[in-house]
Structures are given as C-alpha cells and as structure tokens.
Amino acid sequence: MKIFIDTADIGEIREAWAMGAIDGVTTNPSLLSKAGKPIKKAIAEICEVVDGPISAEVLATDTAGILKEGRDLATIHPNVVVKVPLIPDGLKAVRQLTSEGIKTNVTLCFSPSQALLAAKAGATYISPFVGRLDDLSEDGMVLAQQIVTIYENYAFETQVLVASVRHPLHMVQAALMGAHVATIPFKVITQLIKHPMTDLGLARFLEDAKQIPKD
Ligand code: G3P
C-alpha cells in the first residue's frame, strides 16, 4: 500500500520524505489555507521535495471552471493530480481531464454509489473520507471496504485512496483490506512509528552499553 501525507506543511512533508515514509502528498483548501502561501507556489514547492503524486484541489464547482483550473494546476508539474469534488459537474470534468491524460483524485466521497460513478468517469483515485463518517457514528472503513470490493468485482483501474485518516488503526485496516493508498496526517505517521517497548528497549541497551569495557 502506498502512503501519502495529508498536509500542505512543507516542514512536515520534508521530514516524512526524509524518513522514506511517503510516496505522495494530498492537500485540500483547508490545509493550504494553513500553509499561508498562494496555491500554485505551495504546490510547486511540494513538487520540488516529493517525487510522487501531489494532489491539488480545484475551487471551481462548474465543469468549465474545474477544467480551466485543473489544466492550470496540471501545468505546475507532471506529478500534479487534480483533486475534484464528487458532484455532477466534477464528474464531467474528470471524464474530460482523464481523456487529456491529466490525473484526477475525486474527493469528498461518502458512499459506494458515488465511488462507482467516479470510477466510471475514469478517476485515477477515489477518496472516501473515513474519519468524517466515524464522526457521524458511521463506520468509515466499511465504506472503504465496499469500494475496494466493487472496484475488484469489475476490475476498475481507479485506486482507492483512504482519506480523512485519524489514527493508526485506520491505516492498518486500509492495508488489510487492500486499499491502494492511505493519506495520513503527519501526527499519524509519528504514531505509526512510536512503540513504548522500542523506547524502553533502546534506553536499556544504551544503559548497559556503559558497562562495556573501553578499548
Ligand atoms: O484531504 C482530505 C481529507 O483527508 C481530510 O481529512 O481530517 O479534514 O477529515 P479531515
């Protein structure tokens, strides 16, 4: 399974890339607003650090506007993936962008029927928002599993990108179900690495090493 980092913070992206933890980056308007830079500048900067798919979201909600913004974002770097909301005009734009060879990430997916239509439109990635469903007392990972099954049933090439990940268990469940990608915040990457037994074991080794005779 590929891991993307879900942030526009260039410091976090550099750190995760240096660890070899990530294969790509996803951003959204909320994350970019925190980065405090113009969208194209922020995305170009990320593309300089990470050699992998970088999702950049359009702000338009009509097909013509999405196409204009999507084509413009795609000029930033060949690794840019145009993130499009799962609305009728968005799907029309995805169909066209796909025919032009531009990769797309269909976002804000909350149902298997939406995911089926995104695949029919030719989306490169579908992003089910598992954490936001959990927030509503609905099991978001059930949606992810349904999409994986539907895509496997019909050999769709659209990749399932589990998004809105909130904790390490989401990641493990995504990997067990065979999702293609999980995009995770930096905090969850650090949680994935951390284990108290590792820290205790290392402290013991370093303490015992003081008793080793010097040369
Ligand atoms: O980038 C899309 C998604 O991962 C957002 O997550 O935590 O805002 O629900 P969250």
Side-chain angles (χ1 to χ4, degrees):
M1 183 176 69
K2 292 201 166 115
I3 298 177
F4 294 172
I5 188 168
D6 197 28
T7 185
D9 182 316
I10 198 70
E12 292 180 348
I13 292 167
R14 282 187 206 284
E15 182 74 8
W17 181 251
M19 281 192 283
I22 56 166
D23 304 286
V25 180
T26 50
T27 66
N28 62 36
S30 306
L31 295 170
L32 282 161
S33 75
K34 284 187 213 159
K37 296 171 197 162
I39 292 177
K40 286 178 77 173
K41 186 168 185 271
I43 298 297
E45 199 178 7
I46 295 169
C47 289
E48 277 175 26
V49 176
V50 174
D51 183 17
I54 314 296
S55 286
E57 189 159 340
V58 297
L59 301 178
T61 54
D62 63 292
T63 304
I66 294 171
L67 286 172
K68 187 167 177 288
E69 274 184 49
R71 288 172 184 140
D72 189 37
L73 289 169
T75 63
I76 299 172
H77 192 279
N79 283 343
V80 168
V81 177
V82 177
K83 209 168 171 187
V84 178
L86 211 163
I87 54 177
D89 275 51
L91 293 183
K92 284 186 225 165
V94 165
R95 188 166 190 247
Q96 179 59 31
L97 291 170
T98 301
S99 75
E100 295 173 19
I102 295 174
K103 291 191 167 56
T104 56
N105 174 357
V106 176
T107 188
L108 290 166
C109 174
F110 293 95
S111 78
S113 57
Q114 289 181 315
L116 180 56
L117 290 182
K120 298 282 287 180
T124 313
Y125 301 97
I126 183 71
S127 288
F129 275 29
V130 299
R132 293 194 193 183
L133 283 173
D134 288 359
D135 292 342
L136 301 175
S137 301
E138 199 177 320
D139 189 343
M141 294 311 294
V142 169
L143 169 63
Q145 176 65 75
Q146 286 172 332
I147 300 172
V148 167
T149 302
I150 290 168
Y151 285 5
E152 281 176 2
N153 283 349
Y154 299 102
F156 282 116
E157 289 180 10
T158 303
Q159 297 186 44
V160 180
L161 194 169
V162 176
S164 186
V165 165
R166 300 280 166 76
H167 50 70
L169 195 52
H170 276 152
M171 259 284 298
V172 174
Q173 289 171 325
L176 285 170
M177 74 177 57
H180 303 85
V181 192
T183 188
I184 58 180
F186 184 73
K187 181 185 164 207
V188 177
I189 294 178
T190 61
Q191 290 173 322
L192 288 169
I193 299 164
K194 187 87 178 157
H195 198 292
M197 291 299 286
T198 304
D199 296 340
L200 279 172
L202 180 59
R204 168 73 64 85
F205 284 153
L206 294 179
E207 192 55 35
D208 290 347
K210 291 177 186 163
Q211 309 308 319
I212 300 173
K214 304 275 182 280
D215 289 332

